[in-house]
Amino acid sequence: MKVLLLGSGGRESALGSALSASESVDELFAAPGNPGLAQIAEPLELDAEDPDAVVNLAGKIDADLVVIGPEAPLVAGVGDALRGAGRRVFGPSKAAARIEGSKAHAKRLMEEAGIHTAAARTFDAVEPATAYMDELGPPYVIKADGLAAGKGVVVTEDRDRAIRALKESLVEGRFGQAGSRVLVEEFLDGPELSLIAFTDGVTVVPCEPAQDYKRAYDGEAGPNTGGMGSYSPVPACSEDLAHEISHRVIEPMVKHTAARGEPFVGAIYAGLALTSKGPKVIEFNARFGDPETQALIPRLESDLAEVCFACATGELSGTRLSWSDEVCVSVVLASGGYPGHYRTGLPIEGLERAAKHPGVDVFHAGTEVQNGVTVTAGGRVLAVSALGRTFKDARARAYAAAGDIHFDGKHIRSDIALRAERAEETKEEA
Ligand code: AMP
Ligand code: GLY
């Protein structure tokens, strides 16, 4: 089949690697893609958030399947436009994607479906929001309602900082329309976990769990980012617990959205905190996680294109996923200053050498080619993923390969999957 993959980030690079390896894929197109994807797929220029433009392009190449990577096209209704034009699509409708597009909406759905999540209320004015914040007490959690590229959430002990976040969003319009409403939320304590599942709107087939590192610096310091690294599987999440989360969180949500007449087709993502009172949802997303996907795809032995096609055609029932016994660690190479201001256009060296390490994939995220030279073009520049028999092996490989890549200001966290490595050591000793 001919597959069109929409997006240009690290997640899409990982998805593209699996789609291009599929025996059922004859041709793979990436729009707009990136220099890494251009090595395995035909790159096509496209504004992926313009439904008409996407429909035209899918028609021109007569795509048998369109896989939508990022949230923005989903929220813009690209999935609906493609389905309206008779295309098979992996990715939810605009209505179903509101689970990510509006945090207030997601809260409502979780309440209706009886899914455990942090207590929260929605506000459009600073004063009542502050009163509720004080009622909950510190640490304070303030979230812009709409899409804010992973930057709309502030978690802080500092009351003044929390009030400033409310004002920035509600009064100063820092996130535009996306921040015209905010959620003030109960703080959830405990390790975080991402569980992503394939669904055709009825059947749910979960991936193995993954863990993401949201903060910019080692030891969970610094501001929230889009994600600085990930690993899979997660020693803190047993098979039973993953099963329970799928059963109590993802399945009820898929059922509930279908009952509302807004069936969810694609990848549904639950971000959870494993609290002392059990798993509670932090957020739902309407797509694969970035950078969780970069740690999941290298372990996926099933044919990704076949699974996405089964979702798109309502034939997921009976599908089982097969995963490598090896673990995977993915380290993000970011631009100095990210998630704040950073420079771009800086030459990147060592990409080929890094990719030669055994079990290593170098996934492009924010890169472009200028005059034949690959340069930085975004906050998260690359993700280096490594498989290994143990977390110790996988971490050693990932960091060795990441160390071979150079650009001015390169920033990586040095503690990705360290927790998992320690858990492994403790288990060996026991
Ligand atoms: P979100 O965009 O909702 O995933 O939030 C980004 C990050 O902020 C999460 O991954 C958590 O690390 C943190 N966070 C969000 N909501 C909460 C909460 N209620 N309690 C604790 N941490 C939170
Ligand atoms: N890694 C978090 C996300 O994809 O939203």
Side-chain angles (χ1 to χ4, degrees):
M1 60 178 141
K2 287 189 231 168
V3 178
L4 172 60
L5 170 64
L6 300 186
S8 62
R11 164 187 47 220
E12 288 73 33
S13 295
L15 294 172
S17 74
L19 292 171
S20 76
S22 162
E23 281 181 9
S24 44
V25 175
D26 304 307
E27 282 180 86
L28 178 63
F29 301 88
N34 63 42
L37 277 165
Q39 294 168 14
I40 52 171
E42 186 175 325
L44 297 170
E45 254 181 61
L46 175 71
D47 174 357
E49 292 168 36
D50 176 347
D52 291 339
V54 178
V55 167
N56 279 339
L57 185 70
K60 211 153 94 190
I61 60 180
D62 196 19
D64 299 297
L65 173 69
V66 183
V67 176
I68 305 178
E71 60 276 18
L74 297 168
V75 171
V78 166
D80 309 71
L82 285 165
R83 282 191 188 91
R87 298 285 153 201
R88 297 185 194 94
V89 186
F90 181 83
S93 65
K94 180 175 180 164
R98 275 185 77 211
I99 199 170
E100 172 164 7
S102 164
K103 290 180 190 288
H105 178 69
K107 279 284 173 198
R108 224 168 16 243
L109 293 182
M110 282 186 262
E111 266 163 38
E112 289 165 4
I115 296 167
H116 292 217
T117 181
R121 281 175 58 189
T122 308
F123 298 94
D124 55 16
V126 174
E127 224 169 79
T130 309
Y132 184 60
M133 205 183 86
D134 285 336
E135 196 181 310
L136 291 174
Y140 307 102
V141 182
I142 313 289
K143 300 183 173 185
D145 176 48
L147 293 183
K151 291 172 193 159
V153 176
V154 169
V155 181
T156 179
E157 296 269 354
D158 179 349
R159 186 171 179 274
D160 291 341
R161 173 72 192 94
I163 292 172
R164 203 163 74 236
L166 290 173
K167 286 186 181 153
E168 280 169 359
S169 198
L170 294 175
V171 183
E172 292 156 28
R174 177 160 177 220
F175 304 111
Q177 194 55 31
S180 61
R181 292 194 299 175
V182 295
L183 267 77
V184 175
E185 197 169 285
E186 168 199 8
F187 177 79
L188 296 178
D189 207 2
E192 284 181 43
L193 184 81
S194 309
L195 195 69
I196 301 163
F198 291 91
T199 178
D200 60 1
V202 179
T203 300
V204 170
V205 178
C207 294
E208 294 224 326
Q211 183 130 42
D212 171 21
Y213 286 77
K214 286 261 166 63
R215 300 284 185 141
Y217 312 122
D218 281 16
E220 303 313 310
N224 269 327
T225 68
M228 291 298 295
S230 61
Y231 64 86
S232 170
V234 180
C237 179
S238 65
E239 215 172 294
D240 283 352
L241 181 56
H243 193 260
E244 183 190 323
I245 294 170
S246 179
H247 205 55
R248 298 207 177 177
V249 172
I250 298 188
E251 287 172 23
M253 185 53 90
V254 167
K255 213 170 184 174
H256 184 57
T257 47
R260 284 172 53 95
E262 298 169 352
F264 191 106
V265 172
I268 183 162
Y269 167 127
L272 303 119
L274 304 179
T275 75
S276 53
K277 292 187 187 131
K280 289 193 182 183
V281 174
I282 291 181
E283 63 169 345
F284 269 103
N285 290 323
R287 45 153 181 96
F288 284 104
D290 188 338
E292 289 92 331
T293 306
Q294 291 89 309
L296 286 168
I297 289 295
R299 300 187 57 232
L300 181 66
E301 289 172 344
S302 307
D303 186 318
L304 178 67
E306 294 287 340
V307 180
C308 291
F309 191 83
C311 290
T313 52
E315 293 164 341
L316 191 62
S317 168
T319 299
R320 284 185 64 94
L321 298 179
S322 165
W323 298 92
S324 160
D325 288 335
E326 290 197 295
V327 307
C328 187
V329 173
S330 184
V331 176
V332 169
L333 284 67
S335 296
Y338 172 77
H341 182 74
Y342 54 83
R343 288 169 63 201
T344 56
L346 303 167
I348 306 171
E349 284 164 16
L351 288 169
E352 281 179 19
R353 193 166 149 204
K356 285 197 181 119
H357 288 260
V360 164
D361 280 306
V362 177
F363 295 125
H364 288 239
T367 66
E368 68 186 28
V369 175
Q370 282 177 4
N371 306 319
V373 179
T374 306
V375 300
T376 64
R380 291 188 291 172
V381 178
L382 298 153
V384 173
S385 300
L387 289 165
R389 211 173 32 80
T390 61
F391 280 107
K392 192 172 178 189
D393 292 345
R395 288 189 79 236
R397 283 174 168 178
Y399 280 107
D404 279 346
I405 299 174
H406 301 283
F407 52 88
D408 259 7
K410 176 182 97 174
H411 167 61
I412 59 178
R413 273 184 66 160
S414 69
D415 62 350
I416 303 302
L418 185 58
R419 233 184 338 253
E421 184 179 325
R422 295 214 170 119
E424 196 171 72
E425 281 166 4
T426 319
K427 211 165 135 194
E428 275 164 25
E429 282 163 21

